[in-house]
Amino acid sequence: MSAPNASSLSASTPSLAPPSPSPTPAFLRPRPAQPQSRAKRLSHLFLRGRSNSDRDRAVGDRERELWAHSAAPSSHHYLPPAPSSAPGLIKLYGDALSSGANYRSLLAHVHSTARQLIAQVITRYTEREKEGDTEDGATSKHSPEDFLLCDVIGKPIQQPDGAVHWQTECRRGVAPWECPLLLIDMWRPKDGFERRFEIQKKEDYEREEMEKVREREREGDSCGGVRWRRSRMASGGEAEQSERGHRGRNTELRRSISDMNLSLRRRHGNHASKDPRQAGGAAGGGGGIHDRKNIMSMIATDSGEAGSEGSRQAQETEEEKNTTSCDLEVMSQSLILPPTDCPYFLLLQGYDQSKDFVLYIMSGHMHVFGRKPAPREREKERELEKKGSRLLKVDTFLSGPDLLPRHLLVRRDSAVPGHSPKQALVRPYRGAMVTHNGVTLYREAELKPGDLLGLGGHFLFLYRDPRVVPAPPLAFPRHWQSEGPPLCCPAGLVDRQEALRQYLSSTDAVLKFDPRYADTLLQEIISKNCLPDSGGGALAPAYLLSVMIDYASKDLDPALIPQLMLKAANQIKGIVWDKVKEFGDQHPTQNSTDQGVEATIESIEKVSSDLRPLMFWMSNATELLNFFQVKVEAMEKEWEFEAPGDPIISADMDTCSEALALLDDVIMHTFQQCVYHLTKTLYSFLPALLDTNPFSSEEKDKSKEGTKAQSARGGSGGEPEDDVSTLPPTVAGLVEVYRRSLMLSRDASLSPPLTSQTFGYLFFFTNTSLLNTLLERDGLFSWSRAVQIRTNLDLVLDWLQGVGLGDIASEFLKKLSVTVNFLCIPKTRLIQSSWSSLQEDHALLSPAQLHHLLTHYKLGPARAPPSSWTPPPGTELGGDIFESFLDHPPLILPNETPRLDLTQPIPSPELQQEITRLRSFLWGLDQDELPANQRTRL
């Protein structure tokens, strides 16, 4: 029993390298002739773990001779040193450093590590490169971290041509701190095989290992089961139940800590049941003396002290010896030293004591907690992997019944780009029940050393990172936490009232609510702010809904956000559709005979006033669409580690897409309605620009009367640059339509892209309608009429330039301006021009339009067009001379950063008042469910 126990403990110690396949019985150390004390054997074990020289002194010459003469290795690959301190010769194979190289011989000590040997080889090749002995200049660019020393087991095979080929049976990457000569001395390959060390590039080695893993995955469930058990036991999880009780030969030498705990409990129980005096002695306080002795023996640092302690233990009675040895083994397993170079999770509460471990080490930069997947879940994962989806492997398997196959993800260091080093982030998988310091965790949060993580309803872990200064215990208040008692659980009535007052008057853009009241709050926001004159401002619905959804996205269940988006979009669409129907009833389609009644300033005011609700909701829907898009992108980023095709996430994405599509419909429908009715009103004022003379005295008198009437009404009500009272009546009506449209967009706080597109449509309609009318009426093709049209057009463009719309107007009215400029050319100059020069100067006009203008130009009575106006043969003149209304610019829905900045204080007193009212409304809902003696009154 002594040899297996000692070997099992040494095999489970993290500081030693993992052994090769178990040696044959011929290589085991013989059992001593005289029985030894268990405490003495264990003291030898701890002494051996300190250094190789201590091990040589403790084991003895006889055992060292047995190891040295058993299964002598092949002299092809290394020459062992005679004394332990002398160097030995070792050959490192591989051409990773220099192409075509077979091996490199080095002198190495027993304590030379793999990293030191790799560095020595790199130095040798670098020196040769400097001397000009090699042409390979790549070695100087590498560091020892780029290469890996591999422990390869195989045998040489004689080829028919006389060459010797090495056949690899298995290989293992040697850790940088392992000593190759010590591995050669302690672990031997079985008969017929030899060992050699190879240098390989680390990236090539990892790629080949990944290919082998994929091959094993494709082989079927049998290999998958072996791989599952291996990864499960390596990460600190349970092996499959079918493996227990079916151990192979010499597996007792590799027992885990949990297995030994179970065996020791059974053995200790047997001792207690067989010897009642031992139990009584422990109850009487004798156990404390033995524990102190055991601890002193374990922390002894000198071999002489350990030997004297073992001799004293050997002289005790058999009963005391058994009790002491059993307690010592328990103590040796209980004193587990945590890692010092990587974070770990300390189990505070588990589910199954026989399967749970005390420490779970986070060796990588990403760590996934989960449970063993069911067969159907495993099959689904394989299908996803075949389709190219990359699923994160589970590092720690837990046995809780309420855990998901992938439950929690922890990232640190390089896996957290954009964050400071040594910072960790924790996020639950969708649908996973996780708590962070007692608070339910729905999305990614920062994980600090000392934080508590709860998984499901059973597991509780303490996160520690030895590289970071430990945080103070959770029971002690941190010095930077100066906040008052939380609103939901204040210390007393006075604190509760004060916290409520502070929350109600806070200027932060926060609206806290219980998920039970989500629908009620949504209805309250929309119903009380559905009109432009509700009092909250132009963007009150969008701002309040954004504040509501922002709080849900940070503090509530992620499943609530898509539902809130869809319900808000549905309610907005219903309101808009009712407003469109109401507007249609007030402004039915007019007949052509009624256009004269429509062409008045009062009709423009009526149309613009009735269009305010539509413009109001177009502006709010645009801001909500931008805000929803940002939230959906954030949710997609949170779901990047989830399994592709997850039905819950797919349903949420469909819900979000439906909400965005509804807002798209609202924006497009309101835009079409506003543009249609504005252009219909605009159509009645366009002919005046072509038919009236701005230079006549009659028009000047009308302009003066219009100015007086405008002053009597109290002015235009707009800004000074928007005033149209000084414009002649020839263009005053047309400009008034533009002015009312501009006021509508400003009052509704319409986004700049939509404002530009709205006026782009109005200017496109103006250009197309006037140009077609001008081409249709050839009586206007004279210099005198063209100058009048040019003057009226310049008056309109000057006003638009003054209000900031000059660039858009110039872009869309360009063809009308070019046509009028052509007609304004003096007659004498026009007669002398040729077809080619006219076409070059007026490239926007098509050949058919230019030919139509020249053919019908009024040169005078009975005067034919000059021959120079004749187009050259082959010119295409059969095209349509009129512009099409179908060539309007497309509506491009905005995709910009939301203008509503929720990180800033509430922007206006009106919104502050409305948010305070909603906070009081929610507080009242919460208070109504409490007994009368527990309610808080201000």
Side-chain angles (χ1 to χ4, degrees):
M1 288 297 293
S2 62
N5 286 338
S7 301
S8 62
L9 280 172
S10 63
S12 61
T13 304
S15 61
L16 296 181
S20 299
S22 302
T24 57
F27 303 143
L28 290 177
R29 284 174 285 185
R31 185 187 301 272
Q34 298 296 331
Q36 297 180 353
S37 168
R38 186 180 300 270
K40 185 173 183 179
R41 291 197 301 272
L42 287 178
S43 66
H44 285 308
L45 170 66
F46 284 104
L47 289 171
R48 285 198 304 274
R50 291 203 303 271
S51 67
N52 190 52
S53 60
D54 291 342
R55 179 187 61 78
D56 290 339
R57 292 196 299 268
V59 171
D61 295 337
R62 184 174 178 275
E63 294 184 5
R64 192 146 47 104
E65 282 184 18
L66 181 61
W67 281 98
H69 291 86
S70 60
S74 172
S75 60
H76 294 290
H77 311 303
Y78 64 92
L79 295 177
S84 59
S85 60
L89 188 63
I90 185 171
K91 295 180 180 179
L92 302 184
Y93 290 78
D95 58 353
L97 281 167
S98 179
S99 177
N102 186 17
Y103 66 88
R104 168 66 64 180
S105 298
L106 298 175
L107 287 176
H109 293 272
V110 174
H111 300 295
S112 298
T113 62
R115 178 185 176 87
Q116 293 173 348
L117 295 180
I118 294 176
Q120 188 176 354
V121 173
I122 293 177
T123 303
R124 294 279 296 276
Y125 275 101
T126 305
E127 292 176 353
R128 289 188 56 191
E129 176 189 350
K130 293 179 179 179
E131 295 173 0
D133 294 339
T134 177
E135 297 178 356
D136 188 4
T139 56
S140 59
K141 302 178 183 179
H142 294 291
S143 63
E145 286 77 7
D146 298 331
F147 298 93
L148 183 69
L149 188 64
C150 295
D151 185 4
V152 182
I153 303 297
K155 55 185 176 180
I157 303 298
Q158 189 75 24
Q159 300 295 326
D161 56 356
V164 178
H165 173 70
W166 175 265
Q167 180 178 349
T168 300
E169 185 68 20
C170 62
R171 68 175 181 178
R172 181 184 69 87
V174 180
W177 59 83
E178 293 186 76
C179 303
L181 287 183
L182 192 60
L183 295 177
I184 294 172
D185 187 30
M186 300 300 296
W187 284 280
R188 311 285 185 172
K190 67 179 183 180
D191 294 340
F193 290 90
E194 298 179 3
R195 163 187 277 114
R196 76 177 191 180
F197 290 94
E198 297 180 359
I199 291 183
Q200 299 183 8
K201 288 187 177 180
K202 186 177 294 185
E203 57 181 10
D204 296 340
Y205 176 84
E206 293 175 351
R207 183 176 63 254
E208 293 173 3
E209 291 299 319
M210 288 298 298
E211 292 176 356
K212 292 180 182 179
V213 171
R214 294 191 186 97
E215 285 185 11
R216 288 196 296 267
E217 289 178 352
R218 290 192 292 266
E219 288 177 0
D221 293 339
S222 59
C223 270
V226 175
R227 185 178 65 259
W228 169 269
R229 291 189 294 273
R230 182 179 303 156
S231 63
R232 175 67 187 94
M233 297 175 71
S235 64
E238 60 166 336
E240 294 186 3
Q241 294 294 336
S242 59
E243 290 297 312
R244 299 193 176 184
H246 299 281
R247 301 181 182 272
R249 190 172 72 175
N250 288 334
T251 55
E252 187 67 15
L253 294 174
R254 299 185 298 275
R255 289 191 300 165
S256 66
I257 296 292
S258 293
D259 293 336
M260 294 200 64
N261 281 336
L262 294 176
S263 64
L264 287 172
R265 288 195 197 100
R266 289 193 294 267
R267 197 182 334 167
H268 186 67
N270 293 336
H271 285 308
S273 61
K274 291 180 181 179
D275 195 347
R277 293 176 299 172
Q278 181 177 348
I289 299 176
H290 294 311
D291 289 343
R292 285 193 293 271
K293 294 179 179 179
N294 295 336
I295 294 174
M296 292 301 296
S297 66
M298 291 175 63
I299 64 175
T301 57
D302 186 81
S303 59
E305 293 178 4
S308 61
E309 181 67 18
S311 63
R312 287 197 301 270
Q313 292 291 339
Q315 296 173 2
E316 294 178 352
T317 61
E318 187 66 25
E319 175 185 351
E320 184 180 358
K321 181 188 68 174
N322 293 336
T323 304
T324 303
S325 60
C326 183
D327 291 342
L328 184 57
E329 290 197 16
V330 173
M331 289 291 295
S332 67
Q333 298 168 44
S334 300
L335 296 178
I336 301 176
L337 295 178
T340 59
D341 56 349
C342 61
Y344 60 91
F345 300 89
L346 177 64
L347 180 67
L348 303 182
Q349 177 181 316
Y351 177 72
D352 190 344
Q353 188 176 2
S354 64
K355 301 176 182 178
D356 299 334
F357 287 78
V358 178
L359 288 181
Y360 294 87
I361 300 175
M362 185 178 178
S363 56
H365 289 184
M366 301 181 70
H367 198 89
V368 179
F369 289 88
R371 62 163 171 81
K372 176 184 175 183
R376 182 178 299 178
E377 295 170 338
R378 191 181 304 176
E379 185 64 28
K380 185 177 180 180
E381 290 180 359
R382 290 175 181 169
E383 293 177 358
L384 292 175
E385 290 178 354
K386 291 179 181 179
K387 295 178 181 179
S389 301
R390 293 186 58 187
L391 300 178
L392 294 179
K393 299 299 182 182
V394 179
D395 300 282
T396 296
F397 295 94
L398 303 175
S399 57
D402 52 357
L403 300 182
L404 302 180
R406 286 172 179 80
H407 199 88
L408 182 72
L409 170 64
V410 181
R411 298 185 294 152
R412 66 178 178 94
D413 298 348
S414 63
V416 188
H419 292 73
S420 59
K422 300 182 182 179
Q423 185 178 7
L425 298 178
V426 57
R427 64 174 304 275
Y429 279 85
R430 187 61 186 274
M433 185 171 62
V434 177
T435 60
H436 182 210
N437 292 333
V439 180
T440 303
L441 186 66
Y442 292 112
R443 48 194 52 83
E444 194 168 62
E446 183 179 359
L447 183 64
K448 300 179 180 178
D451 287 354
L452 297 178
L453 289 176
L455 279 66
H458 302 279
F459 287 92
L460 183 63
F461 294 96
L462 174 68
Y463 174 74
R464 298 304 301 267
D465 190 347
R467 306 170 303 164
V468 182
V469 177
L474 293 176
F476 300 148
R478 296 185 174 99
H479 65 276
W480 61 82
Q481 291 180 342
S482 58
E483 298 180 359
L487 184 63
C488 59
C489 51
L493 179 60
V494 177
D495 295 335
R496 188 184 310 170
Q497 291 176 340
E498 181 61 26
L500 176 58
R501 292 191 187 97
Q502 292 180 2
Y503 171 64
L504 293 180
S505 60
S506 173
T507 59
D508 295 336
V510 177
L511 192 59
K512 301 178 182 179
F513 64 94
D514 191 280
R516 297 173 298 168
Y517 308 136
D519 294 342
T520 306
L521 177 60
L522 184 65
Q523 182 66 32
E524 182 72 13
I525 291 175
I526 295 181
S527 62
K528 293 300 192 323
N529 298 274
C530 61
L531 295 176
D533 300 326
S534 299
L539 298 176
Y543 187 84
L544 297 174
L545 291 174
S546 299
V547 171
M548 175 185 177
I549 294 177
D550 184 66
Y551 173 77
S553 66
K554 294 177 180 178
D555 296 282
L556 299 181
D557 190 347
L560 183 64
I561 305 173
Q563 299 298 327
L564 287 178
M565 290 182 178
L566 182 60
K567 291 176 181 178
N570 270 319
Q571 292 202 30
I572 292 173
K573 181 179 179 181
I575 293 175
V576 169
W577 260 234
D578 293 339
K579 294 298 179 183
V580 170
K581 185 177 181 301
E582 180 181 344
F583 184 88
D585 296 338
Q586 295 176 358
H587 300 271
T589 303
Q590 302 289 338
N591 298 325
S592 58
T593 58
D594 299 332
Q595 291 180 3
V597 179
E598 217 175 3
T600 61
I601 300 298
E602 289 74 12
S603 64
I604 301 175
E605 294 177 356
K606 174 64 175 174
V607 172
S608 63
S609 176
D610 294 340
L611 283 176
R612 284 184 65 205
L614 298 183
M615 191 74 74
F616 171 80
W617 280 113
M618 177 168 62
S619 179
N620 280 271
T622 303
E623 295 305 321
L624 277 178
L625 178 64
N626 292 330
F627 181 79
F628 284 5
Q629 287 174 341
V630 171
K631 288 299 178 183
V632 171
E633 291 174 0
M635 287 190 291
E636 290 177 344
K637 188 176 181 179
E638 290 180 359
W639 296 337
E640 62 179 340
F641 297 106
E642 301 283 351
D646 185 273
I648 298 178
I649 296 179
S650 299
D652 286 347
M653 290 305 300
D654 293 341
T655 303
C656 293
S657 299
E658 185 178 355
L660 297 178
L662 288 175
L663 292 179
D664 288 347
D665 291 342
V666 169
I667 297 173
M668 295 181 65
H669 202 66
T670 52
F671 183 86
Q672 291 172 356
Q673 290 295 316
C674 291
V675 169
Y676 170 74
H677 289 285
L678 288 175
T679 52
K680 189 174 72 170
T681 305
L682 187 67
Y683 181 79
S684 304
F685 295 94
L686 291 178
L689 191 143
L690 300 176
D691 297 332
T692 56
N693 182 7
F695 306 108
S696 66
S697 58
E698 181 181 354
E699 295 297 334
K700 292 180 180 179
D701 294 339
K702 290 181 180 180
S703 176
K704 294 179 181 179
E705 293 177 0
T707 304
K708 294 180 181 179
Q710 188 72 21
S711 301
R713 290 196 299 266
S716 61
E719 299 179 2
E721 64 269 16
D722 298 346
D723 190 10
V724 298
S725 58
T726 59
L727 294 175
T730 54
V731 296
L734 179 62
V735 173
E736 181 66 15
V737 177
Y738 294 145
R739 191 181 73 86
R740 290 288 177 175
S741 303
L742 184 61
M743 291 176 59
L744 272 176
S745 61
R746 287 177 177 176
D747 292 343
S749 294
L750 193 64
S751 65
L754 273 184
T755 300
S756 300
Q757 293 188 70
T758 301
F759 281 94
Y761 269 79
L762 296 180
F763 296 148
F764 167 79
F765 179 81
T766 300
N767 177 82
T768 304
S769 180
L770 287 176
L771 183 59
N772 290 345
T773 303
L774 180 61
L775 293 175
E776 186 180 12
R777 298 169 57 182
D778 54 9
L780 301 176
F781 294 176
S782 64
W783 179 85
S784 59
R785 296 299 301 271
V787 171
Q788 297 175 11
I789 298 173
R790 178 75 261 177
T791 302
N792 290 332
L793 186 59
D794 287 341
L795 290 173
V796 176
L797 291 176
D798 290 343
W799 184 89
L800 293 174
Q801 185 70 36
V803 296
L805 299 174
D807 295 339
I808 305 175
S810 300
E811 178 68 24
F812 285 94
L813 298 176
K814 185 182 298 184
K815 197 163 189 178
L816 175 64
S817 296
V818 168
T819 305
V820 176
N821 290 341
F822 171 80
L823 296 176
C824 288
I825 298 176
K827 187 185 302 183
T828 55
R829 178 186 167 191
L830 187 62
I831 293 175
Q832 299 174 1
S833 301
S834 63
W835 169 270
S836 58
S837 63
L838 290 175
Q839 190 175 25
E840 182 180 355
D841 295 339
H842 305 86
L844 289 179
L845 295 175
S846 66
Q849 292 173 336
L850 181 60
H851 184 262
H852 176 77
L853 291 173
L854 293 174
T855 304
H856 297 83
Y857 191 82
K858 306 301 181 182
L859 292 175
R863 186 169 181 177
S867 58
S868 59
W869 290 0
T870 304
T875 305
E876 180 61 38
L877 302 176
D880 192 359
I881 64 173
F882 299 110
E883 297 293 316
S884 173
F885 286 96
L886 299 178
D887 296 335
H888 58 78
L891 173 61
I892 302 175
L893 294 177
N895 185 14
E896 56 185 358
T897 304
R899 293 185 293 167
L900 305 176
D901 189 359
L902 303 184
T903 61
Q904 300 297 324
I906 300 174
S908 67
E910 294 81 9
L911 284 175
Q912 175 70 55
Q913 183 178 358
E914 180 63 18
I915 287 183
T916 302
R917 186 190 70 82
L918 291 173
R919 290 170 178 171
S920 302
F921 172 75
L922 291 170
W923 183 261
L925 293 178
D926 189 58
Q927 293 296 300
D928 290 341
E929 296 188 358
L930 297 177
N933 59 347
Q934 298 182 11
R935 297 177 183 176
T936 302
R937 301 299 180 187
L938 294 176

